[in-house]
Amino acid sequence: DVQLVESGGGLVQPGGSLRLSCAASGLTVSNNYMSWVRQTPGKGLEWVSLIYSGGATYYADSVEGRFTIARDKSENTLYLQMSSLRADDTGTYYCATVVWSDYYFEHWGQGTLVTVSS
Amino acid sequence: DIQMTQSPSSLSASVGDRVSITCRASQSIARSLNWYQQKPGRAPKLLIFATSILQRGVPSRFTGSGSGTDFTLTIDSLQPEDFAIYLCQQSYNLPLTFGQGTRVDIK
């Protein structure tokens, strides 16, 4: 069975940084398309970032230049490095597998809460 | 970006009812439309992909239809465990976008 477990969320001040992790089991992160999706009070569910198995990365305009998606093959873990955080980045962040042929989110983690506040 | 608009935003129904939820895209997305169910405090769960293909393990009372810009999720004979929020998502192009959700609660 596929299991995705996020961690790293917490309270951070505006302008601060945070790194989220998504530890995977039952699948190989580097062989799959993987995404981060967030759920915020203001915008509901919002796709944040995508990494292809080949390594190409894509970002929502709202996080481009501030967030970086990455993965560690040896740890079988997906990461989201977030910097210059703003209040509207507050929300629950999910990692999810993306089915390459149809770009839907098949497996989801339980989410990790990020709160940006002074 | 493709905007996804769901209607209604909420509905009340009884166990055994048939309910339909609509999702409209701001431009044609062919059949690149997916549906998710979300319960409080939980991650979304994939129900249907590519408009009408049921994900493994999802009961057959869930059906999806549509193409182009207009899509429908139908739940036949609503069960107690179906009271939740339902969300659509277009996978036609990046950025992948979601509807705002439809809450189905108990009448």
Side-chain angles (χ1 to χ4, degrees), chain A residues 52-102:
Chain A
Y52 284 176
S53 50
T57 58
Y58 300 87
Y59 299 92
D61 286 348
S62 58
V63 307
E64 180 82 57
R66 301 188 299 123
F67 290 11
T68 302
I69 191 171
R71 63 195 180 195
D72 185 313
K73 192 171 183 178
S74 62
E75 297 290 327
N76 203 31
T77 298
L78 180 73
Y79 298 100
L80 186 68
Q81 178 68 48
M82 306 185 294
S83 60
S84 302
L85 283 161
R86 313 185 300 223
D88 63 359
D89 294 318
T90 293
T92 298
Y93 285 70
Y94 298 99
C95 67
T97 62
V98 179
V99 174
W100 68 271
S101 56
D102 289 293

Side-chain angles (χ1 to χ4, degrees), chain B residues 1-9 21-27 29 33 35 69-72 86-90 97-102:
Chain B
D1 298 3
I2 299 174
Q3 308 302 316
M4 307 301 293
T5 304
Q6 289 183 232
S7 61
S9 55
I21 298 166
T22 296
C23 181
R24 176 163 288 175
S26 60
Q27 67 180 72
I29 58 171
L33 191 282
W35 291 99
T69 60
D70 294 316
F71 301 85
T72 301
Y86 292 86
L87 302 115
C88 61
Q89 174 244 327
Q90 67 82 14
T97 49
F98 292 86
Q100 81 282 10
T102 295

Side-chain angles (χ1 to χ4, degrees), chain B residues 27-87:
Chain B
Q27 67 180 72
S28 177
I29 58 171
R31 291 176 61 83
S32 301
L33 191 282
N34 313 300
W35 291 99
Y36 302 84
Q37 177 194 68
Q38 188 175 29
K39 296 184 177 179
R42 304 291 296 273
K45 171 190 169 185
L46 177 68
L47 294 177
I48 288 172
F49 60 93
T51 296
S52 60
I53 303 174
L54 220 55
Q55 173 69 347
R56 288 183 308 274
V58 174
S60 59
R61 63 180 178 271
F62 291 91
T63 57
S65 63
S67 67
T69 60
D70 294 316
F71 301 85
T72 301
L73 172 69
T74 300
I75 312 171
D76 282 317
S77 188
L78 203 64
Q79 296 301 299
E81 60 268 29
D82 300 337
F83 293 97
I85 294 173
Y86 292 86
L87 302 115

